[in-house]
Amino acid sequence: MDKMPKWADVVLIPFISLILAFIASGLVVAAVGADPIKAIRVMVEGAIGPRGIGYTLYYATNYMFTGLAVAVAFHARMFNIGGEGQAAMGGLGAAIVLLMFDWPHWTLALPAAMIGAGLFGAFWAAIPAYLQAKRGSHIVITTIMFNFIAAAILGYLLNGILKNKATQSAETVRFSDGTHLPTLHDFFNIFGIPFSKHAPANISLFLALACAFGVWFLLWRTRLGYQIRAFGHSENAAKYAGISGVKITVIAMVISGALASMLSINVVMGETERLISSFVEGAGFVGIAVALMGRSHPVGIILASLLFGGLTQGGAEISFEMPELSKEMVLVIQAMIILFTGALDNLVRMPVEKVFLRLRKEQN
Amino acid sequence: MDSAQIFLQFLLTADMSIRLSVVLILACLAGLYSERAGIFDIGLEGKMLIAAFASAAVSYETGSAWLGVLAAISASMVFALIHGVASITYRGNQLISGVALNFLASGLTVVLGHAIYKKGGQTPALSGSQRFEEITLPFADTLSNVPVFGPIYADVISGHKSLVYITFLIVPLTWWILYRTRFGLRLRAVGENPASLDTAGVSVVRQRYSAVLIAGVLCGLAGAYLATAQAAGFGREMTAGRGFIALAALIFAKWRPWYAMFASLLFGLLEAISNLYPNIDVFGLFEIPVQFTQVLPYILTVVILAGFVGKAIPPRAGGEPYVKER
């Protein structure tokens, strides 16, 4: 018998955790002498205003990719903390593909860049997966190490053979015009819907939504997805049922790495249009929070991504409107959300369970 | 380059390695206490960062570097306590708690720094009594004329800040606590087989909390050293991944105190080399890029973890919350 109804686990507990996280963040805002209520108002207006929404959707696209990446690994009971490095390597793969040819049109460049990014990201996740499955090295530690190694490889190449000699900074030359993805402004313009022209949101958003559907279909509608979930539920039972642990570990991580690498389509191909060294900007870690809040389900992840996208954009807005707060306040809010929805889950869960048990007793 | 010059370069590199390895040794030992007790700690980075900020701010305001150390330890212990509450009392995921604390430190240091000093997250530069002074060991001046040994004693061993010598005393102390005291035996037991400790009537919860809080103290010292001894003030993200290098050193050392010191010294040496000789030309054949020297600790750790060169086996109950049998 379940201790409480499903909606309580999926909606009520994340909601209460979120409230607690916001209260804790509000205390920090108040501690530095700023007005928390005003901060919330500025954030909400900044996130969903006509100009801000294009940024919110842009960040949300990133978090959908990294959130889905973390979730797929979670379902196989693995903690992929290496989204940061996998996305960085994905950017390298995409950039190599995009620089190699003079692409005539983005419809050709997009699938090629996706393959380049996906292969690099998947490869970067496959090594830690193999080491975990075959040699028993803890995947959390190896993926952390691989984040740093990826950053160093990018730093080396962008200061060396891939560097644009015309600039001082570590970046490649701009990709050719045939690789530029349509922005959401271009897209909505076809249907005559007005959308901010300057926002970076581009059609990668639809790619992210497609990935979300793909992950749902994979996990709940295919044999492989069933095997991944069975392995995550009970390693021994899965092995007894003839599921290969090595195979599932590597496949789940390869999918996870490839999903994380798609972030580079949104950022490198869609926005910066050249490879820069620090383009991931912590989105790999935010993916952990997104997967936790979204309960590792694609629908939940889409909603959590929108929330975190709004936070990132709204937080940037705060620093303009309220000079006493720096934009790093967003990190504090994200930290509080990870803390309350992830690590301190039982803080909320235990009392809620008690309430439901008491309610049930009274009914009987 | 003649032999005198090479000797000078050697002294310079050795001296710098020791300076740079102190943060790693302290953080590595912090991780050692925590992980030997069965609590994973990937929040070393965050604890050091918040400690570095607290020490720089308090030291600047009071003019006393030692008060800065006290503030650093307090701040780091608050973070350690949150980690303890999440992973021991509420049996949450220890890795997620660590990630959250790293985020919190990154954000909080800049938000507070910006609000107080309006310098983009930095604290003002520290000087005089706000920083730690170098200590000259006895006879350093008189012995410096003795060939070979004299300069090594005077330039490499002597002339460091007090926290450096304290750090190198904490290493044998940790060994003694871990292997020669009842507390240490229990600490190691709680990381391998908490049920056995529970059966013996010792509180698993209290044992694990003490370990996590000791880790807080050591990360506090590491942060204070970083901001008030190694550097002169706090800069945003000044830990720059050292918490993770320390984690790598801990695995490299296979969770043992003396080896933790040697691994940290080795990684400190690599950092010194990447600072002093960015790109190393190997006999004009090829060049070792600075990025390679910088990530060598991580690569070595992956190799060790993969068991290609000696197997690193972590404490058996690591990462598992303990649920008392009913």
Side-chain angles (χ1 to χ4, degrees):
Chain A
M1 189 173 69
D2 286 338
K3 284 179 180 155
M4 56 183 170
K6 191 147 195 258
W7 66 267
D9 177 45
V10 176
V11 181
L12 186 63
I13 291 180
F15 183 73
I16 298 174
S17 303
L18 201 61
I19 300 282
L20 289 176
F22 274 109
I23 292 174
S25 310
L27 292 177
V28 174
V29 173
V32 298
D35 178 4
I37 305 294
K38 186 184 173 197
I40 290 178
R41 210 190 63 231
V42 172
M43 260 179 85
V44 172
E45 280 169 8
I48 57 176
R51 204 180 59 84
I53 188 79
Y55 285 87
T56 296
L57 290 175
Y58 169 73
Y59 296 124
T61 306
N62 283 345
Y63 301 151
M64 279 180 215
F65 287 129
T66 53
L68 289 168
V70 174
V72 169
F74 265 160
H75 277 287
R77 194 167 286 187
M78 274 181 294
F79 191 22
N80 178 13
I81 198 166
E84 204 74 9
Q86 289 142 20
M89 290 304 272
L92 181 60
I96 290 173
V97 168
L98 293 173
L99 289 169
M100 206 149 52
F101 304 102
D102 192 13
W103 293 94
H105 197 263
W106 66 267
T107 45
L108 296 171
L110 179 61
M114 281 169 62
I115 292 170
L119 283 178
F120 272 62
F123 171 71
W124 210 242
I127 305 171
Y130 177 82
L131 292 176
Q132 152 116 356
K134 279 281 189 193
R135 319 281 315 187
S137 355
H138 203 299
I139 201 151
V140 170
I141 305 292
T142 27
T143 46
I144 290 176
M145 304 293 135
F146 268 57
N147 284 343
F148 286 101
I149 300 173
I153 292 174
L154 233 59
Y156 173 64
L157 292 175
L158 288 175
N159 285 302
I161 50 171
L162 286 180
K163 185 172 162 46
N164 177 7
K165 303 284 185 297
T167 66
Q168 287 292 317
S169 44
E171 57 184 43
T172 64
V173 293
R174 264 177 95 84
F175 305 142
S176 60
D177 287 341
T179 67
H180 295 180
L181 290 178
T183 61
L184 285 188
H185 168 79
D186 302 333
F187 178 79
F188 284 121
N189 214 10
I190 305 173
F191 307 103
I193 305 168
F195 193 87
S196 167
K197 202 174 172 170
H198 305 288
N202 57 68
I203 56 160
S204 304
L205 173 65
F206 302 113
L207 177 65
L209 294 173
C211 283
F213 176 78
V215 167
W216 171 81
F217 189 82
L218 169 81
L219 287 174
W220 282 278
R221 288 293 178 274
T222 65
R223 177 192 288 258
L224 176 65
Y226 181 78
Q227 289 180 338
I228 290 176
R229 288 186 296 126
F231 181 78
H233 215 75
S234 164
E235 213 177 303
N236 289 331
K239 277 182 187 154
Y240 190 66
I243 297 171
S244 156
V246 176
K247 193 183 107 184
I248 293 301
T249 303
V250 174
I251 289 181
M253 278 301 283
V254 160
I255 296 171
S256 177
L259 283 168
S261 75
M262 289 302 130
L263 175 146
S264 64
I265 300 294
N266 187 37
V267 179
V268 176
M269 190 177 182
E271 164 63 4
T272 59
E273 295 174 344
R274 59 186 187 276
L275 185 63
I276 57 175
S277 57
S278 60
F279 73 93
V280 189
E281 286 188 315
F285 294 115
V286 176
I288 297 165
V290 167
L292 284 170
M293 270 233 81
R295 291 291 185 259
S296 294
H297 190 284
V299 175
I301 288 169
I302 292 173
L303 294 175
S305 301
L306 290 171
L307 172 75
F308 275 85
L311 276 177
T312 309
Q313 165 55 16
E317 213 63 34
I318 283 186
S319 55
F320 293 123
E321 295 278 325
M322 304 169 72
E324 66 271 33
L325 275 179
S326 89
K327 73 174 188 337
E328 275 71 15
M329 191 58 218
V330 179
L331 287 176
V332 175
I333 303 174
Q334 284 172 350
M336 295 296 186
I337 295 179
I338 298 177
L339 196 64
F340 282 100
T341 58
L344 286 170
D345 184 59
N346 279 333
L347 174 79
V348 178
R349 185 176 297 271
M350 292 201 279
V352 171
E353 274 178 359
K354 260 186 202 146
V355 170
F356 275 100
L357 281 176
R358 184 171 300 165
L359 283 178
R360 195 175 291 164
K361 242 181 225 163
E362 278 167 16
Q363 271 175 1
N364 289 343
Chain B
M1 207 168 5
D2 59 29
S3 60
Q5 267 179 315
I6 291 177
F7 185 61
L8 206 68
Q9 291 294 324
F10 164 78
L11 291 179
L12 192 66
T13 314
D15 180 52
M16 197 176 197
S17 305
I18 289 175
R19 283 168 206 277
L20 292 175
S21 65
V22 168
V23 173
L24 299 179
I25 294 174
L26 288 168
C28 191
L29 291 176
L32 190 135
Y33 277 102
S34 187
E35 302 212 343
R36 283 306 286 257
I39 304 290
F40 281 153
D41 194 353
I42 57 173
L44 297 173
E45 179 88 357
K47 284 202 277 280
M48 283 200 288
L49 194 63
I50 196 79
F53 175 78
S55 71
V58 169
S59 176
Y60 175 75
E61 299 297 342
T62 63
S64 157
W66 283 108
L67 282 179
V69 171
L70 217 59
I73 291 176
S74 317
S76 172
M77 281 181 82
V78 170
F79 269 48
L81 196 63
I82 297 175
H83 190 52
V85 169
S87 45
I88 304 168
T89 305
Y90 285 106
R91 299 195 287 272
N93 187 316
Q94 298 162 12
L95 300 163
I96 292 171
S97 167
V99 171
L101 291 176
N102 288 340
F103 258 73
L104 190 58
S106 292
L108 210 51
T109 48
V110 180
V111 168
L112 294 176
H114 172 83
I116 303 170
Y117 299 111
K118 310 253 179 291
K119 288 178 147 210
Q122 283 183 334
T123 60
L126 304 177
S127 57
S129 66
Q130 300 163 342
R131 290 190 73 206
F132 279 95
E133 298 289 324
E134 271 113 19
I135 293 175
T136 308
L137 291 185
F139 313 117
D141 291 332
T142 31
L143 283 173
S144 64
N145 292 326
V146 178
V148 185
F149 172 76
I152 290 180
Y153 182 74
D155 294 339
V156 179
I157 297 174
S158 171
H160 289 290
K161 287 152 183 163
S162 49
L163 281 179
V164 176
Y165 300 106
I166 292 173
T167 299
F168 282 96
L169 289 176
I170 292 177
V171 179
L173 181 69
T174 298
W175 175 86
W176 184 78
I177 289 175
L178 224 54
Y179 295 104
R180 289 291 178 273
T181 66
R182 180 153 47 167
F183 177 82
L185 179 68
R186 288 175 173 173
L187 189 132
R188 286 181 291 133
V190 84
E192 294 289 336
N193 190 347
S196 71
L197 207 67
D198 208 8
T199 315
V202 183
S203 165
V204 171
V205 169
R206 190 183 304 165
Q207 196 66 42
R208 286 195 161 164
Y209 263 108
S210 358
V212 166
L213 288 176
I214 293 173
V217 173
L218 292 174
C219 282
L221 282 176
Y225 176 81
L226 201 57
T228 57
Q230 189 170 319
F234 177 84
R236 57 198 297 171
E237 301 293 329
M238 80 179 305
T239 42
R242 287 189 180 86
F244 294 104
I245 300 243
L247 212 57
L250 181 60
I251 295 162
F252 211 73
K254 299 176 185 172
W255 295 269
R256 292 169 296 179
W258 284 109
Y259 292 86
M261 183 187 79
F262 292 127
S264 301
L265 279 169
L266 172 68
F267 292 172
L269 169 69
L270 287 174
E271 197 184 338
I273 290 175
S274 72
N275 284 354
L276 291 169
Y277 319 101
N279 292 315
I280 303 162
D281 189 78
V282 183
F283 307 118
L285 293 172
F286 60 93
E287 202 175 58
I288 300 175
V290 64
Q291 288 91 354
F292 181 77
T293 326
Q294 282 165 348
V295 289
L296 203 53
Y298 303 116
I299 297 173
L300 289 173
T301 306
V302 171
V303 171
I304 285 277
L305 262 179
F308 296 125
V309 191
K311 191 122 185 79
I313 301 164
R316 203 159 0 126
E320 297 286 329
Y322 180 66
V323 185
K324 213 179 168 88
E325 227 175 300
R326 291 194 195 278

